[in-house]
Amino acid sequence: MKKVIIDGSSLTLKEFIQVCREDYKVELSEEARQNIIESRKKVDRFVESGKTIYGITTGFGKFSDVNITQEEAVLLQKNLIITHAVGAGNPLDRDAVRGMMLLRANTHAKGFSGIRLSTVETMIEMLNKGIHPVIPEKGSLGASGDLAPLAHMVLPLIGLGKAEYMGEVISGEEAMKKAGIKPVELVSKEGLALINGTQAMTSVGALTIYDGINLAKLADVSAALTFEAMNGITTALDERAHLVRPHKGQLTTAANMLRILEGSEMTTEQGDIRVQDAYSLRCTPQIHGASKDALNYIEERVNIEMNSVTDNPIIFEETGISGGNFHGQPMALSFDFMSIALAELANVSERRLERLVNPALSGLPAFLVENGGLNSGFMIVQYSAAALVSENKVLAHPSSVDSIPSSANQEDHVSMGTIGARKAREIMKNARRVIAMEMMCACQAIDLRGKKKLGTATEIAYNMLRSKVEKLEEDRELFEDINKCEELLISEEMLSEIERAVSLEM
């Protein structure tokens, strides 16, 4: 059985994707089980002693100075969930919901949350049986954790809210009944342990960084196809030029491009046709490389956050410390950076696309079609790409520079990290569409130029694209062609095939 064992410390991005998109089963390690049991014992001692600890024997937020009796604790936890489930907007995608459930279980596995083992195991059982809470995408400030999204995640666990089960959206109560899972009655600390954390932003961000890294590699392939379509000068990729400015991403991009183009008969050397190319070709290592350096940094932040305690209070031997690990600022800044990095991949791709369709720049038939005038060819493909990159420029405005006070000014600085993660995901989707468009246009330009032997990897990409989309001889509906090209990128089919032949680095 395909499964991932979680212990709170070693979850990888690959394992995260396996659970979110390939439905791998999840299981707690034996050490994690013991950690959770011991942590709960500490909370029980605190409750019995009457010790004042935030969220365990007090109310929440501004109500932290209101003491709660042991008898009121159960109602307090239920009230916490139902009053915090006030999200807005469309439901999060299935993979993001699965990611939230996985990450929440993983943070509990470290043993600092004070939640019962049975509660964690029930949530994992929901994940393994495919009960996916309906979670509105909006409504989190990204500090005090992702309160609203996580509260919606918890509702079906306690037999409330809505969930998707077996492809149908039904009540949480009905979903649990159909799956044969008994809902949980939360006890002291458990409500807070389930909703105080950064799992919504981290789930969306982790999915985006995974897709973004793949896209950065595919952007190198796309640029290489345009190199061939434009008889680009590979001298600019010479390792010597990059060793004297040794940014890692720049070096790996130049090396990637040379491997991708190895053996091509459609590229040129400096002086063969012209002395130098425009920046969108010549500076590909510098532009793509800067985005890769950013994405590598963000991946490190995501790996840390996936295996962190973002609870409040954090349960230690003698007390619970009310700190600020729920604050999303470390991820908020990272996801804003990711937005910029991904937007730039699209920006330069659109500029290369423009060079392909513009006869003054390409030396090819206008808009890459014969009998222009009667045929418009790929004219409006560039319009669509331009619209997407312009939208990205608006979306790339940082969320993390904004803050607004909440809970009667007790929570007076927030991260907006969840908004940042969602915007980065939208930018990634737009960027992927633009790169698919560039690939499609580059293949058309290669055909019009008179296709010769392509590079090791560009030949693979060209053949895969041509197996889905024929050369354009006269105008036809193009949106389906673009969809087919984009699907090769989304499915990872193209990247997997290319990486079997050529090593692509970040």
Side-chain angles (χ1 to χ4, degrees):
M1 181 176 65
K2 295 179 176 179
K3 67 179 178 181
V4 169
I5 297 174
I6 57 173
D7 58 13
S9 302
S10 59
L11 182 67
T12 66
L13 186 57
K14 182 180 179 181
E15 289 173 330
F16 174 83
I17 295 296
Q18 287 171 335
V19 173
C20 292
R21 294 180 176 169
E22 300 174 43
D23 291 349
Y24 274 45
K25 304 301 183 186
V26 176
E27 186 179 307
L28 287 167
S29 72
E30 186 54 41
E31 182 183 3
R33 292 168 60 86
Q34 291 305 313
N35 288 341
I36 294 168
I37 290 169
E38 291 303 314
S39 180
R40 182 64 210 177
K41 287 179 181 177
K42 294 168 191 172
V43 170
D44 289 339
R45 287 202 303 270
F46 299 156
V47 172
E48 289 167 10
S49 69
K51 196 168 188 175
T52 300
I53 299 177
Y54 172 74
I56 298 178
T57 57
T58 75
F60 309 108
K62 180 62 178 175
F63 294 132
S64 60
D65 55 354
V66 177
N67 288 324
I68 303 297
T69 67
Q70 192 169 346
E71 292 73 27
E72 295 170 323
V74 171
L75 180 58
L76 174 70
Q77 302 308 308
K78 181 180 178 181
N79 286 347
L80 175 67
I81 303 304
I82 61 178
T83 60
H84 285 51
V86 290
N90 296 322
L92 286 170
D93 291 339
R94 179 183 186 273
D95 55 0
V97 173
R98 290 182 63 81
M100 287 174 63
M101 298 172 77
L102 170 64
L103 293 177
R104 200 66 211 159
N106 195 53
T107 197
H108 295 325
K110 291 183 84 77
F112 294 94
S113 299
I115 195 169
R116 290 175 299 170
L117 176 62
S118 59
T119 302
V120 180
E121 288 185 327
T122 300
M123 184 165 62
I124 290 173
E125 187 180 5
M126 289 171 63
L127 180 60
N128 289 341
K129 289 186 175 180
I131 295 179
H132 304 123
V134 174
I135 304 174
E137 64 181 352
K138 299 178 183 180
S140 175
L141 295 173
S144 274
D146 287 313
L147 293 174
L150 286 166
H152 281 279
M153 183 195 77
V154 176
L155 285 176
L157 177 72
I158 61 175
L160 300 174
K162 292 184 178 180
E164 178 269 319
Y165 180 66
M166 304 292 283
E168 183 184 5
V169 175
I170 54 180
S171 72
E173 182 182 22
E174 187 180 357
M176 295 290 273
K177 186 177 180 180
K178 284 188 172 183
I181 305 174
K182 184 180 177 181
V184 172
E185 183 178 62
L186 301 176
V187 298
S188 57
K189 176 63 168 75
E190 289 194 308
L192 203 56
L194 286 162
I195 70 170
N196 211 337
T198 61
Q199 282 67 44
M201 72 177 78
T202 306
S203 179
V204 174
L207 291 166
T208 305
I209 192 62
Y210 177 84
D211 291 336
I213 287 168
N214 287 345
L215 188 62
K217 294 177 181 179
L218 288 164
D220 290 351
V221 176
S222 187
L225 284 166
T226 300
F227 254 78
E228 291 177 312
M230 299 291 288
N231 299 136
I233 301 167
T234 57
T235 311
L237 306 174
D238 191 308
E239 183 184 41
R240 291 172 293 178
H242 303 286
L243 284 172
V244 295
R245 194 199 192 194
H247 292 287
K248 181 176 181 287
Q250 180 177 331
L251 284 164
T252 58
T253 301
N256 282 353
M257 294 283 289
L258 288 174
R259 283 193 292 271
I260 291 165
L261 289 166
E262 187 177 0
S264 176
E265 295 178 2
M266 294 196 71
T267 58
T268 62
E269 296 290 329
Q270 188 171 293
D272 288 350
I273 298 175
R274 54 190 175 273
V275 175
Q276 61 182 22
D277 285 321
Y279 287 2
S280 58
L281 291 176
R282 185 173 17 132
C283 300
T284 297
Q286 290 81 2
I287 300 167
H288 286 196
S291 288
K292 287 177 185 173
D293 286 340
L295 295 175
N296 284 329
Y297 166 81
I298 296 153
E299 183 185 16
E300 289 179 1
R301 303 305 102 189
V302 167
N303 284 329
I304 291 170
E305 194 74 358
M306 289 197 306
N307 292 288
S308 292
V309 174
T310 57
D311 224 327
N312 184 52
I314 302 171
I315 305 303
F316 294 98
E317 189 63 40
E318 299 300 326
T319 189
I321 294 179
S322 185
N325 280 7
F326 52 74
H327 202 296
Q329 195 75 357
M331 305 317 298
L333 294 177
S334 296
F335 295 151
D336 282 340
F337 197 12
M338 178 159 58
S339 291
I340 294 167
L342 294 171
E344 278 302 290
L345 292 178
N347 279 347
V348 71
S349 177
E350 185 277 331
R351 288 293 80 199
R352 292 191 298 260
L353 194 161
E354 162 63 12
R355 300 195 77 79
L356 291 167
V357 302
N358 188 333
L361 301 175
S362 69
L364 294 168
F367 308 114
L368 300 175
V369 70
E370 304 287 1
N371 199 13
L374 175 62
N375 292 306
S376 293
F378 295 87
M379 179 191 297
I380 310 303
V381 175
Q382 186 269 328
Y383 285 39
S384 182
L388 291 171
V389 299
S390 288
E391 181 177 311
N392 281 352
K393 291 167 189 174
V394 175
L395 292 171
H397 179 85
S399 299
S400 58
V401 297
D402 184 33
S403 180
I404 195 165
S406 56
S407 197
N409 226 34
Q410 176 75 357
E411 299 163 5
D412 54 359
H413 181 281
V414 296
S415 76
M416 304 299 184
T418 315
I419 298 172
R422 290 193 297 106
K423 292 201 297 97
R425 182 137 196 82
E426 195 64 26
I427 288 170
M428 187 281 299
K429 291 177 180 178
N430 288 343
R432 186 168 59 196
R433 183 78 170 179
V434 172
I435 287 169
M437 291 173 175
E438 182 192 359
M439 286 186 174
M440 182 179 72
C441 289
C443 288
Q444 179 77 2
I446 286 168
D447 288 337
L448 291 173
R449 185 79 66 187
K451 180 180 179 293
K452 299 176 184 176
K453 185 177 183 294
L454 300 181
T456 302
T458 47
E459 187 73 54
I460 294 170
Y462 174 90
N463 289 336
M464 293 186 77
L465 285 157
R466 277 288 171 257
S467 73
K468 304 288 185 182
V469 176
E470 295 179 353
K471 178 186 175 184
L472 187 72
E473 301 288 355
E474 57 185 31
D475 281 352
R476 63 172 182 257
E477 293 174 307
L478 289 174
F479 72 93
E480 287 290 4
D481 290 354
I482 301 169
N483 289 344
K484 290 173 184 176
C485 294
E486 188 178 10
E487 183 53 38
L488 285 171
L489 277 56
I490 294 171
S491 68
E492 301 183 40
E493 187 180 350
M494 178 182 286
L495 182 59
S496 295
E497 193 68 27
I498 287 171
E499 288 199 309
R500 277 192 278 270
V502 174
S503 172
L504 297 182
E505 299 177 22
M506 281 292 292

